[in-house]
Amino acid sequence: MNKRHNRSRATGLLLGYALDRALGDPRRFHPVAGFGRCAAGLERWIYRDSRVAGVVHTSVLVGGCVGLGAAATETARRWGAVGEITLVAASTWAALGGTSLARTGTRMARSLDDGDVAAARALLPSLCGRDPSVLDEAGLARASVESVAENTSDATVGVLFWGATAGVPGILGYRAVNTLDAMIGYRSPRYRRFGWFAARLDDVVNLVPARLTGALTVLLSPAVGGRAPDAIRAWRHDASRHPSPNAGVAEATAAGALGVRLGGRTEYAHGVEIRATLGTGREPTASDIGRAARLSTLVQGAATVASAVLAVAVGQTHVVRRALG
């Protein structure tokens, strides 16, 4: 990777984030939705109640996305810097979901503020896979805050980190892994074995992004009325108690930053999980969803700048290695 390539990658990441901020998710022909349909079709053909079948399913889909990204990158480079920037920007915009996440969180807060529980329940599936019919206002508020916190890492920071370090193949591969985890990574009877590899792979690719999200949440907590020491304390004491090694970091630091308490009884379509408590504050309310959405937006912006810097740094490292080699 030469200096032009790493500058193009950084510029493309910034432009892709700007497109997401201005336009949100693509309204029609969303690439992630198309990938989901392909994944579901392959699942119908290849499904077996075994880890081996799940490994094959995930490897084919993720490998295909990485390969597609590599081929597209080679083609774009023939068009020079403009081609590279355009491809990175388009891929970043298609893979990001941070603006829609924050907007949905804000809409949820307004629905609960208005006392419209029915509208809030109808909106919850846009945030997470829990059963809204069994949740009251307090349950909807907690589920929303937890989802906004976790998806800040999944929907934005992870995309940007892998875009900075691995370009378009990293963006497409990361989004493929994350989407498969959302589709088959549950501990339900159907997916306990088949979805095992997708869930473990998602844990691996999110190790760094989740911790970057946690660090930025700590730094930016005063902007939403929180205290950095409270966010650090929740991270140190509570994150490891979450069943996910990555969601625990994002949710615990958000709980500390917002001064709320997350975790507890969590109902999914496949069953009930009793989660450990994250944070030592009060139960979240509708206003805390709005604060979580604002915090998410701030973290996304900071992560974009950090990722652009990282993209340049990665490129410079390649240049130095080549010179020394």
Side-chain angles (χ1 to χ4, degrees):
M1 181 187 295
N2 59 35
K3 290 182 179 180
R4 190 199 81 188
H5 293 324
N6 60 54
R7 287 197 299 267
S8 296
R9 182 181 291 182
T11 303
L13 289 171
L14 292 169
L15 183 56
Y17 173 74
L19 287 170
D20 182 61
R21 290 293 302 158
L23 304 174
D25 287 340
R27 295 185 180 227
R28 298 181 63 188
F29 309 113
H30 198 304
V32 176
F35 172 82
R37 287 191 291 272
C38 290
L42 180 61
E43 180 186 335
R44 286 192 294 271
W45 179 70
I46 204 174
Y47 178 83
R48 303 288 186 281
D49 187 17
S50 75
R51 287 186 175 182
V52 172
V55 169
V56 172
H57 176 264
T58 298
S59 299
V60 167
L61 290 164
V62 175
C65 287
V66 172
L68 176 63
T73 299
E74 287 303 312
T75 301
R77 284 179 176 174
R78 297 173 191 167
W79 295 85
V82 172
E84 290 185 65
I85 291 170
T86 300
L87 177 64
V88 174
S91 300
T92 302
W93 174 44
L96 287 176
T99 297
S100 294
L101 173 69
R103 288 175 180 172
T104 304
T106 301
R107 287 172 57 200
M108 176 66 79
R110 288 173 181 165
S111 295
L112 290 178
D113 268 335
D114 294 340
D116 193 344
V117 176
R121 285 174 175 160
L123 192 58
L124 188 66
S126 299
L127 287 173
C128 61
R130 302 182 194 179
D131 181 1
S133 65
V134 300
L135 299 178
D136 57 11
E137 291 187 37
L140 289 164
R142 178 171 73 84
S144 299
V145 171
E146 290 173 352
S147 181
V148 169
E150 179 181 359
N151 284 302
T152 298
S153 177
D154 291 352
T156 300
V157 180
V159 172
L160 295 166
F161 172 80
W162 284 104
T165 55
V168 173
I171 292 171
L172 300 188
Y174 173 80
R175 178 49 70 205
V177 172
N178 191 249
T179 303
L180 287 172
D181 178 61
M183 292 178 69
I184 65 174
Y186 294 104
R187 297 174 182 175
S188 63
R190 177 177 174 84
Y191 293 127
R192 186 170 288 112
R193 295 184 182 87
F194 185 77
W196 172 84
F197 183 63
R200 298 292 77 74
L201 188 57
D202 186 74
D203 286 343
V204 172
V205 300
N206 277 298
L207 280 172
V208 175
R211 282 143 190 84
L212 176 58
T213 302
L216 293 174
T217 298
V218 169
L219 290 173
L220 294 166
S221 56
V224 292
R227 297 177 63 252
D230 293 339
I232 294 172
R233 188 178 303 109
W235 185 347
R236 291 181 57 192
H237 294 172
D238 301 332
S240 62
R241 300 165 62 199
H242 195 284
S244 166
N246 301 315
V249 175
E251 292 182 24
T253 52
L258 298 171
V260 299
R261 183 173 67 256
L262 303 176
R265 183 183 176 89
T266 305
E267 302 207 27
Y268 293 97
H270 62 271
V272 177
E273 296 182 17
I274 305 300
R275 299 281 180 83
T277 300
L278 308 177
T280 58
R282 52 183 170 72
E283 290 286 336
T285 62
S287 64
D288 295 312
I289 307 173
R291 293 172 64 216
R294 291 194 298 275
L295 179 60
S296 175
T297 300
L298 293 171
V299 169
Q300 292 172 42
T304 303
V305 174
S307 296
V309 173
L310 178 60
V312 173
V314 168
Q316 295 289 2
T317 300
H318 281 293
V319 170
V320 171
R321 284 179 178 173
R322 251 187 214 177
L324 294 176

